[in-house]
Amino acid sequence: MGTVNFQTTAEFLHRAETEKREVFRITVDHPDMTVEDAYKVQEELVSIKLEQGHRIIGPKMGLTSQAKMKQMNVEEPIYGYIFDYMMVPDGGSISMQELVHPKVEAEIAFVLGKDIEGPGITGAQVLAATEYVVPALEIIDSRYENFRFTLPDVIADNASSSRVVFGNRLTKPGPLELDLVGVTLSINGEIKDLGAGAAVVGHPANSVAMLANMLARKEEKLKAGDVILTGGVTGAVMLSVGDTVSAKLDGLGELSFKMVE
């Protein structure tokens, strides 16, 4: 219903995040909104955060499992950005009052030692440019009512980015077969989900390669020092006040946080 105003839409989504409230998905009013439109909204949203003095830690990938891509009817993952205000220390706490309806998933993060510029980047090239890999817990928190959205909605909403916990252990990627890394996600001591690195488009390095090639379309590149979330190895599990969340990643370490009021 009319042309999408990228800045106004970004401001609407930014208010939803800062005011911690659910909103109707934006494609209700803009059913013809394209993925390209959605990334333009996301760019405006990122600009708003940067203008407020926040700093980008690095990009993140979403919809990196075959099941999620099939569910959303897409052939490639999506991306968003993690900011400094989203970071929570390992063993720290996250307030439910700061979020809408958070879920958690376990991931493998890459810390780049060199710039990576597509197109044509491969997973092997990513591994060669990676300084460290780090265990991570990403807390996603769609601002849309009941977590209901289409692909353009979630892209515009910065891919549901909300909070992230990184482990304190840095591991060189060389000898590790990251596709075979086993991962367990537990809440209050009970395993809620498990998986292996191969759940992320066959290998987490493939996810970073896909990201580099997607960014190349906008003549952008991944930079040395970027910390990149490669996508959920486990499914996303709903969180409640009082939950103690932990993850164990074979060969990479363990990490945790607690949900408080």
Side-chain angles (χ1 to χ4, degrees):
M1 302 192 46
T3 308
V4 181
N5 184 309
F6 305 131
Q7 184 171 354
T8 301
T9 306
E11 289 168 353
F12 169 75
L13 291 171
H14 184 249
R15 283 196 302 274
E17 180 186 355
T18 54
E19 295 170 9
K20 296 96 178 169
R21 60 183 176 86
E22 290 182 306
V23 294
F24 287 119
R25 54 189 178 86
I26 52 183
T27 52
V28 170
D29 290 328
H30 300 287
D32 298 327
M33 187 177 189
T34 65
V35 165
E36 290 75 18
D37 289 338
Y39 276 116
K40 287 176 182 173
V41 174
Q42 186 191 103
E43 287 172 16
E44 293 290 344
L45 184 57
V46 166
S47 293
I48 291 170
K49 295 175 188 293
L50 291 173
E51 286 165 10
Q52 291 186 334
H54 299 304
R55 183 172 58 88
I56 293 174
I57 300 300
K60 58 159 269 187
M61 290 288 269
L63 305 183
T64 50
S65 74
Q66 293 298 329
K68 282 185 181 176
M69 281 194 271
K70 187 174 181 182
Q71 178 188 351
M72 298 298 286
N73 193 28
V74 296
E75 294 180 1
E76 65 183 7
I78 63 172
Y79 62 85
Y81 292 90
I82 298 296
F83 284 82
D84 51 359
Y85 73 89
M86 299 179 179
M87 292 179 67
V88 176
D90 184 12
S93 60
I94 296 173
S95 170
M96 184 66 84
Q97 291 180 15
E98 294 180 358
L99 305 172
V100 182
H101 38 208
K103 296 180 181 182
V104 64
E105 54 192 32
E107 306 198 15
I108 297 171
F110 281 49
V111 183
L112 295 186
K114 300 174 185 172
D115 292 359
I116 302 176
E117 188 168 7
I121 295 295
T122 65
Q125 288 172 300
V126 167
L127 287 171
T130 299
E131 190 76 18
Y132 302 108
V133 287
V134 185
L137 286 164
E138 187 190 3
I139 297 83
I140 55 173
D141 188 30
S142 170
R143 269 54 72 167
Y144 298 117
E145 190 177 53
N146 299 323
F147 253 97
R148 276 206 222 113
F149 47 73
T150 67
L151 189 65
D153 290 305
V154 68
I155 291 169
D157 190 31
N158 194 25
S160 304
S161 302
S162 158
R163 297 289 184 273
V164 64
V165 180
F166 292 111
N168 294 318
R169 183 170 152 192
L170 302 173
T171 304
K172 291 283 187 182
L176 273 176
E177 295 184 79
L178 292 173
D179 53 334
L180 302 181
V181 168
V183 179
T184 55
L185 175 64
S186 300
I187 296 184
N188 303 323
E190 179 186 346
I191 293 177
K192 291 295 183 180
D193 204 1
L194 45 83
V200 182
V201 291
H203 192 294
N206 293 340
S207 175
V208 181
M210 293 172 89
L211 174 60
N213 295 332
M214 291 165 75
L215 290 175
R217 297 172 198 162
K218 301 195 296 184
E219 299 184 343
E220 294 178 9
K221 64 180 179 179
L222 298 172
K223 297 169 186 166
D226 278 351
V227 184
I228 302 166
L229 288 173
T230 56
V233 176
T234 66
V237 179
M238 191 67 81
L239 291 168
S240 302
V241 173
D243 283 346
T244 296
V245 181
S246 61
K248 181 177 181 181
L249 293 82
D250 294 342
L252 298 182
E254 303 180 32
L255 68 166
S256 66
F257 70 90
K258 187 172 179 66
M259 289 300 298
V260 297
E261 290 186 12

